[in-house]
């Protein structure tokens, strides 16, 4: 599992839940009694002296890298006060933005997306949902049954109240999800029908580091007898069987990679101490992380495979597999293992390091990030393709002995976004010029082949998601649709329908379950797709939402959002907070599909890696210039916004193209590209950006490190607000702190208006609950809107 630099947007009310890993409690354990002191001490990060080789003479602001030092926190608190004095407290502001955004975030008018957690004693499908509202700002985990869920107002039963848990523990818990014990590997599941156990993940203040606690789903209590429980760490935990867990965590010296993620995998048998669990797999210190899991595809006619992997870089990995029997998943002393022959040796999956592999039935699917010729002298499969072959033959006889079939082959403007696996079908979501269409493949011939049975002919400007209700036993799926101005609608759909009738788009829909009412007035809004031409002639598409009668005089306050990294795509989605904070005021909202993203597959992403990162920045600036050329806006009425990797984008817009923008919001950003790899998870992103300890720094990294490219001779920079979170343990808050302090010092006496706000909680998302999120959103949007509208009056 890799933690990417996620785009920071406002609330996306309609985003489909493509995989569901999300509650009454008592009988809880304290970490003090669950773990010996020596082991717990290893959970606390210790500064690495070698990572601080930069001296205070070279970087006078390095002291701000001490996250919770008195000096750093005093800086943050003073900066926060200074920011609110200058911009005003959004809670008390007369704009009403805070109240409008909070109303959206806490509204009951949201779709309660649910996931199946087995069946109850009466055979009803049990569904769970995690829900936040004004009464439950930290949220409740709750359940209902399918027949109730289909009603307008389902009857919910609370499983776990996170607010109550946080109050009792005195810890600002943030829900991070639940990993259920697979029913097919649980002897107490009533033949695979019931979900009995799950591992809950909770973090302090929203950080990536989590506490893991085992929960009894049937009793609604934390497990008290020999539970699986882990203290705070960036742990990776998967079930092997009911009494065996596969764990990667901070086990002490040398157990983590340089990126701060697990380097060792242990098999932890219930009732034993985690520190005594044997190490079964290890990676290198320079790897991003290691992991292990079980692929159980017996419901598709396949087998059980034990899989281990090393994420060598962010985009390359090595994987090993072996076929096992159910008995091999049990504890070594389990009576069911008596007389069962030990499994064979692990076999390395012989594919390119930058490819991904998956198991469906008796097939191994390979997704390619570069061209591949598996059989010497045979066919070369294109970058971005997904192919498949017989898995046992592949592992036993090698890739050269196999015959391959193509599931998907991209064109210049198409890419495979994702697939969703049902009991008898695989549904492909294909992006065609950043619009969506679906293809349905049936799993045939005993799970050895995939047959195309239906496909959309046209692509639509909408966000839509396909998520199985229960891929082990059903072809039904949750289908969600939305657009920039169209609220989300959730349907129950059935893939069986694509073969029973003549195919037309959305024929698979069975019934509409839930629909979101409009959260803002979009009556006079229109959405269109436009194209800008980048510096090297590349066509860069973008979406714009604006009023139909917009006067093209350059005076429309326009907000341009971008990301451009890690093969993450932007596209149509209903963002109610943008509607409330920007569109209702009469502004235009724009999303740019720049290189570095995944809108057109791996090639679009790879075009902006490392030395070519400038392509992302050229693309974004070209969209800005195109908007200006169309008289939609002018530099003084154009704002830019981005977070995380998009924060790096904003930093470079600030230093490279300061005359293009009237205001900038730079959220939870990377900015110091000289030291990013020494801060928190930064080392894991060197495959994206480059290695500053090599010639990469002199050749290209120094050119797009905003912290190092501030022009001291420049008299004017555009107004910018920089926001971050103290508790962000993915992108270090020092990036934002150091940049702002340096700008303040260098810009003294100049027209460099810089504002800074650091949320003390919130993790990489920047906020831990709805009130914090509404505060941060209103602060940024009011700043941008007020700045641009003042500029209109000046002009």
């Amino acid at each position: 599992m890799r933690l990417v630099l996620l785009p920071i947007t406002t609330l996306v009310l309609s985003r489909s839940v493509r995989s569901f890993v999300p509650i009454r409690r008592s009988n809880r354990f304290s970490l003090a009694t669950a773990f010996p002191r020596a082991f717990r001490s290893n959970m606390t990060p210790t500064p690495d002296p070698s990572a601080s080789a930069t001296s205070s003479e070279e970087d006078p602001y390095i002291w701000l890298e001490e996250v919770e030092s008195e000096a750093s926190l005093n800086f943050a608190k003073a900066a926060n006060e200074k920011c609110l004095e200058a911009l005003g407290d959004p809670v008390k502001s007369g704009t009403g933005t805070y109240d409008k955004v909070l109303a959206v975030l806490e509204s009951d008018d949201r779709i309660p997306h649910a996931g199946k957690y087995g069946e109850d004693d009466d055979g009803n499908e049990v569904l769970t949902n995690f829900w936040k509202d004004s009464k439950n700002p930290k949220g409740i985990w709750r359940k209902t049954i399918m027949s109730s869920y289909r009603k307008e107002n389902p009857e919910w039963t609370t499983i776990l109240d996170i607010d109550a848990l946080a109050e009792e523990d005195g810890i600002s818990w943030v829900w991070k999800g639940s990993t259920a014990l697979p029913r097919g590997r649980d002897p107490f599941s009533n033949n695979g029908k019931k979900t009995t156990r799950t591992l809950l993940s909770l973090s302090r203040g929203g950080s990536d580091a989590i506490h893991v606690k085992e929960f009894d789903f049937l009793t609604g209590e934390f497990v008290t007898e020999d539970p699986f429980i882990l203290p705070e760490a960036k742990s990776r935990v998967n079930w092997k069987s009911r009494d065996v867990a596969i764990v990667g965590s901070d086990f002490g010296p040398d157990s983590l990679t340089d990126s701060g993620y697990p380097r060792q995998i242990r098999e932890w048998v219930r009732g034993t101490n985690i520190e005594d669990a044997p190490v079964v797999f290890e990676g290198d210190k320079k790897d991003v992380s290691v992991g292990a899991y079980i692929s159980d595809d017996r419901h598709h006619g396949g087998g059980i495979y034990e899989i281990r992997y090393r994420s060598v870089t962010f985009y390359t990995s090595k994987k090993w597999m072996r076929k096992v029997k159910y008995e091999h998943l049990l504890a070594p002393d389990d009576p069911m293992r008596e007389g069962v022959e030990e499994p064979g040796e692990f076999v390395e999956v012989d594919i390119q390091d930058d490819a991904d592999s998956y198991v469906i039935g008796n097939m191994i699917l390979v997704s390619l990030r570069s061209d591949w010729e598996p059989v010497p002298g045979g066919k070369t499969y294109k970058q971005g393709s997904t192919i498949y072959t017989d898995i046992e033959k592949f592992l036993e006889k090698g890739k050269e002995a196999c015959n391959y079939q193509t599931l998907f082959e991209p064109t210049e403007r198409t890419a495979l976004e994702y697939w969703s696996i049902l009991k008898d079908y695989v549904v492909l979501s294909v992006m065609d010029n950043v619009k969506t269409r679906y293809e349905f493949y049936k799993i045939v011939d005993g799970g050895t082949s995939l047959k195309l049975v239906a496909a959309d002919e046209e692509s639509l400007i909408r966000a839509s998601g396909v998520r199985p209700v229960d891929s082990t036993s059903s072809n039904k799926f949750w289908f969600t649709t939305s657009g920039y101005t169209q609220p989300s609608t959730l349907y129950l759909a059935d893939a069986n329908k694509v073969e029973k009738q003549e195919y037309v788009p959305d024929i698979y829909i069975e019934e509409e379950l839930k629909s979101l009412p409009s959260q803002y007035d979009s009556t006079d809004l229109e959405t269109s797709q436009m194209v800008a031409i980048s510096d090297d002639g590349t066509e860069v598409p973008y979406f714009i939402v604006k009023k139909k009668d917009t006067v093209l005089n350059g005076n429309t306050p326009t907000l341009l959002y971008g990301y451009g990294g890690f093969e993450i795509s932007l596209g149509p989605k209903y963002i109610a907070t943008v509607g409330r904070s920007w569109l209702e005021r009469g502004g235009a909202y724009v999303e740019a599909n720049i290189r570095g993203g995944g809108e057109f597959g791996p090639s679009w992403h790879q075009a902006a890696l490392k030395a070519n990162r400038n392509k992302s920045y050229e693309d974004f600036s070209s969209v800005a210039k195109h908007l200006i050329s169309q008289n939609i806006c002018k530099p003084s009425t154009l704002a830019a916004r981005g977070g995380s990797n998009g924060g790096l984008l904003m930093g470079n817009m600030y230093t490279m193209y300061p005359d293009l923008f009237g205001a900038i919001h730079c959220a939870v950003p990377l900015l110091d590209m000289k030291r990013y790899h020494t801060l928190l998870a930064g080392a894991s992103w060197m495959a994206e950006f480059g290695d500053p300890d090599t010639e990469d720094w002199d050749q290209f990294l120094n050119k797009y490190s905003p912290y190092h490219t501030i022009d001291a001779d420049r008299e004017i920079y555009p107004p910018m607000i920089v926001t971050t979170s103290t508790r962000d343990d993915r992108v270090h808050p020092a990036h934002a702190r150091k940049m702002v302090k340096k700008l303040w010092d260098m810009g003294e006496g100049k027209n460099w208006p810089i504002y800074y706000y650091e949320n003390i909680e919130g993790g990489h998302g920047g906020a831990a609950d709805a009130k914090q999120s509404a505060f941060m959103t209103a602060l940024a949007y009011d700043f941008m809107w007020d700045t641009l509208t003042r500029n209109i009056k000046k002009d």
Side-chain angles (χ1 to χ4, degrees):
M1 178 179 178
R2 301 171 298 197
L3 290 178
V4 300
L5 292 166
L6 292 175
I8 302 299
T9 62
T10 42
L11 179 71
V12 181
L13 287 174
S14 65
R15 181 169 294 161
S16 64
V17 186
R18 288 169 188 157
S19 60
F20 201 88
V21 283
I23 264 186
R24 210 161 161 193
R25 46 152 202 50
S26 63
N27 303 323
R28 294 191 345 280
F29 281 61
S30 75
L31 296 179
T33 58
F35 289 90
R37 183 177 300 274
F39 181 61
R40 282 184 286 123
S41 68
N42 292 328
M43 299 297 113
T44 305
T46 302
D48 179 1
S50 66
S52 301
T54 302
S55 67
S56 58
E57 288 78 16
E58 294 175 278
D59 185 354
Y61 308 106
I62 199 169
W63 56 275
L64 288 166
E65 293 180 4
E66 297 182 39
V67 177
E68 294 185 319
S69 70
E70 183 177 0
S72 292
L73 291 179
N74 285 342
F75 167 81
K77 292 173 183 176
N80 289 355
E81 291 179 8
K82 183 178 178 180
C83 178
L84 297 186
E85 286 175 6
L87 303 181
D89 185 339
V91 178
K92 303 173 183 177
S93 169
T95 66
T97 305
Y98 171 82
D99 292 330
K100 292 177 181 178
V101 173
L102 184 62
V104 168
L105 298 177
E106 294 186 336
S107 172
D108 288 340
D109 290 331
R110 286 175 285 131
I111 293 178
H113 293 282
K116 183 177 174 181
Y117 257 58
E119 299 177 356
D120 63 15
D121 290 334
D122 297 322
N124 297 304
E125 292 178 291
V126 177
L127 307 179
T128 68
N129 161 262
F130 187 73
W131 183 260
K132 292 182 180 181
D133 56 26
S134 58
K135 295 180 181 178
N136 307 280
K138 292 190 178 298
I140 55 174
W141 194 34
R142 58 187 189 171
K143 66 180 180 179
T144 189
I145 59 176
M146 179 65 88
S147 59
S148 179
Y149 185 74
R150 291 169 117 150
K151 298 177 181 178
E152 183 176 353
N153 296 301
E155 297 179 7
W156 294 100
T157 300
T158 297
I159 309 170
L160 183 65
D161 185 330
I162 305 301
D163 293 273
L165 183 67
E167 182 178 356
E168 183 174 338
D169 289 350
I171 298 174
S172 181
W173 289 124
V174 173
W175 172 262
K176 288 288 185 173
S178 168
T179 304
L181 170 61
R183 302 192 302 273
R185 285 180 264 145
D186 183 1
F188 296 92
S189 67
N190 188 21
N191 293 319
K193 295 179 180 179
K194 287 187 176 182
T195 297
T196 66
R197 294 287 176 91
T198 190
L199 298 171
L200 302 186
S201 298
L202 302 167
S203 81
R204 290 187 302 123
S207 66
D208 284 340
I210 56 173
H211 293 256
V212 178
K213 299 183 179 183
E214 187 178 7
F215 191 81
D216 189 320
F217 190 74
L218 298 182
T219 65
E221 306 283 351
F222 283 97
V223 175
T224 58
E225 184 177 353
D226 296 328
F228 290 126
I229 180 171
L230 290 170
E232 186 175 80
K234 292 183 178 180
S235 301
R236 306 284 182 269
V237 188
N238 282 304
W239 296 95
K240 191 170 186 181
S241 60
R242 184 181 177 91
D243 294 323
V244 183
I246 309 170
V247 182
S249 189
D250 186 347
F251 301 116
D254 295 325
S255 66
L256 299 179
T257 66
D258 291 340
S259 299
Y261 298 112
R263 189 181 73 85
Q264 297 178 341
I265 296 298
R266 299 189 181 206
E267 286 196 0
W268 186 12
V269 176
R270 187 182 300 281
T272 64
N273 294 321
I274 182 63
E275 58 265 37
D276 296 329
V279 176
V280 297
F281 185 65
E282 285 187 299
D284 293 336
K285 283 283 286 181
K286 291 186 177 181
D287 289 347
V288 173
S289 67
V290 303
Y293 61 95
I294 302 299
S295 175
D296 184 354
D297 226 50
R298 289 175 291 177
H299 53 285
H300 287 131
I304 305 174
Y305 288 88
E306 187 174 4
I307 300 173
R308 297 170 180 172
Y309 65 89
R310 291 171 49 205
S311 295
V312 180
T313 70
F314 207 85
Y315 301 108
T316 61
S317 62
K318 294 183 180 295
K319 185 180 288 187
W320 292 263
M321 303 173 62
R322 66 176 177 182
K323 192 172 185 179
V324 298
K325 297 179 179 179
Y326 168 74
E327 290 80 4
H328 296 137
L329 307 180
L330 306 176
D333 61 352
D334 192 294
M336 288 186 66
R337 293 196 66 160
E338 291 184 13
V340 178
E341 185 178 348
E342 288 299 304
E345 296 295 319
F346 280 89
V347 176
E348 183 170 359
V349 179
D350 189 10
I351 59 176
Q352 294 168 302
D353 287 351
D354 64 350
D356 290 324
S357 62
Y358 312 87
V359 179
I360 300 178
N362 291 298
M363 299 169 284
I364 182 168
L365 278 68
V366 182
S367 292
L368 303 176
R369 284 196 176 96
S370 55
D371 292 350
W372 189 41
E373 184 185 289
V375 180
K379 180 176 179 178
T380 297
Y381 295 93
K382 288 176 56 176
Q383 174 189 54
S385 297
T386 295
I387 61 177
Y388 65 92
T389 190
D390 181 89
I391 186 170
E392 291 198 21
K393 188 174 184 180
F394 183 89
L395 294 177
E396 293 175 4
K397 297 184 179 180
K399 66 179 186 295
E400 297 86 355
C402 295
N403 296 314
Y404 297 88
Q405 301 296 321
T406 299
L407 177 62
F408 175 82
E409 182 175 276
T411 65
E412 184 179 350
R413 306 301 276 182
T414 63
L416 178 58
E417 186 179 17
Y418 68 93
W419 65 65
S420 189
I421 306 170
L422 310 177
K423 181 178 181 296
D424 299 306
Y425 297 89
V426 176
V427 186
L428 306 190
S429 176
V430 177
M431 283 194 300
D432 188 343
N433 200 26
V434 206
K435 293 176 282 189
T436 302
R437 59 180 170 84
Y438 289 104
E439 297 178 356
F440 288 79
Y441 286 82
K442 193 164 189 178
I443 303 171
V444 296
D445 300 331
T448 63
S449 186
L450 296 167
K451 177 184 177 183
L452 179 65
V453 293
D456 291 331
E457 293 184 1
E458 296 184 3
S459 302
L460 301 176
I461 299 179
R462 68 178 183 184
S464 55
V466 171
R467 184 168 55 94
V469 173
D470 185 350
S471 63
T472 65
S473 62
S474 171
N475 290 316
K476 293 191 175 181
F477 59 94
W478 312 108
F479 182 60
T480 311
T481 65
S482 72
Y484 284 113
T485 59
Q486 291 78 43
S488 177
T489 300
L490 172 66
Y491 304 91
L492 185 62
D494 187 349
N496 288 316
K497 296 180 70 174
V498 304
E499 291 191 274
K500 293 181 178 178
Q501 304 174 46
E502 183 178 351
Y503 185 81
V504 294
D506 298 350
I507 193 174
Y508 36 77
I509 291 176
E510 196 169 70
E511 66 176 295
E512 179 180 319
L513 294 175
K514 317 285 178 187
S515 60
L516 184 72
S518 295
Q519 299 291 298
Y520 66 92
D521 185 4
S522 60
T523 306
D524 296 323
L525 296 177
E526 63 180 1
T527 300
S528 56
Q529 187 179 37
M530 303 181 74
V531 176
I533 305 300
S534 194
D535 293 6
D536 62 1
T538 299
E539 293 186 353
V540 181
Y542 67 89
F543 291 100
I544 180 169
V545 185
K546 60 180 177 59
K547 287 188 176 295
K548 297 175 183 176
D549 59 355
T550 296
V551 178
L552 300 180
N553 60 4
N555 285 333
T556 300
T558 302
L559 175 56
L560 173 58
Y561 177 81
Y563 185 72
F566 295 92
E567 209 170 330
I568 291 174
S569 305
L570 301 182
K573 53 193 170 292
Y574 191 68
I575 311 178
T577 46
V578 172
R580 285 285 182 96
S581 304
W582 200 263
L583 292 170
E584 278 190 341
R585 288 167 151 175
Y589 177 70
V590 181
E591 284 188 351
N593 305 117
I594 62 178
R595 280 174 285 186
E599 287 86 348
F600 301 110
S603 62
W604 192 249
H605 168 239
Q606 293 168 17
L609 287 179
K610 296 185 178 180
N612 293 320
R613 200 64 176 188
N614 60 295
K615 299 300 182 183
S616 288
Y617 309 140
E618 291 169 4
D619 288 359
F620 193 82
S621 66
S622 296
V623 172
K625 293 171 186 175
H626 192 258
L627 290 167
I628 294 167
S629 73
Q630 300 299 302
N631 289 323
I632 293 168
C633 59
K634 47 194 171 187
S636 61
T637 59
L638 176 60
R641 182 172 189 261
S644 191
N645 171 71
L648 175 62
L649 172 66
M650 293 302 103
N652 279 294
M653 291 303 104
Y654 182 83
T655 58
M656 292 180 175
Y657 304 95
D659 297 326
L660 271 182
F661 303 98
I664 294 175
H665 176 207
C666 180
V668 290
L670 280 85
L671 295 167
D672 180 357
M673 302 309 289
K674 179 69 173 175
R675 287 182 50 74
Y676 83 93
H677 64 312
T678 70
L679 302 174
L680 299 176
S684 66
W685 309 320
M686 288 194 287
E688 181 85 9
F689 301 120
D691 183 352
D693 289 339
T694 68
E695 59 186 12
D696 289 356
W697 174 255
D698 291 326
Q699 290 187 357
F700 58 86
L701 263 172
N702 71 90
K703 298 175 185 177
Y704 64 81
S705 179
Y707 184 61
H708 297 90
T709 55
I710 302 167
D711 185 356
D713 295 327
R714 188 175 180 86
E715 286 299 317
I716 299 175
Y717 271 115
M720 179 167 68
I721 185 169
V722 181
T723 58
T724 192
S725 167
T726 307
R727 291 292 300 165
D728 189 345
D729 56 353
R730 195 177 309 179
V731 177
H732 201 295
H735 285 278
R737 292 171 175 175
K738 295 198 304 180
M739 181 76 170
V740 168
K741 184 68 168 74
K742 187 174 184 179
L743 285 169
W744 280 344
D745 291 348
M746 291 178 63
E748 189 172 354
K750 300 175 182 177
N751 188 5
W752 294 9
I754 297 295
Y755 309 96
Y756 180 76
Y757 196 91
E758 179 174 324
N759 193 21
I760 305 303
E761 294 185 322
H764 189 52
D769 58 33
K771 287 184 171 61
Q772 290 179 17
S773 181
F775 178 93
M776 300 298 283
T777 300
L779 180 67
Y781 276 81
D782 280 351
F783 158 74
M784 293 185 289
W785 184 267
D786 292 346
T787 302
L788 299 190
T789 53
R790 278 198 306 269
N791 290 341
I792 293 174
K793 294 176 182 178
K794 290 178 184 177
D795 295 343

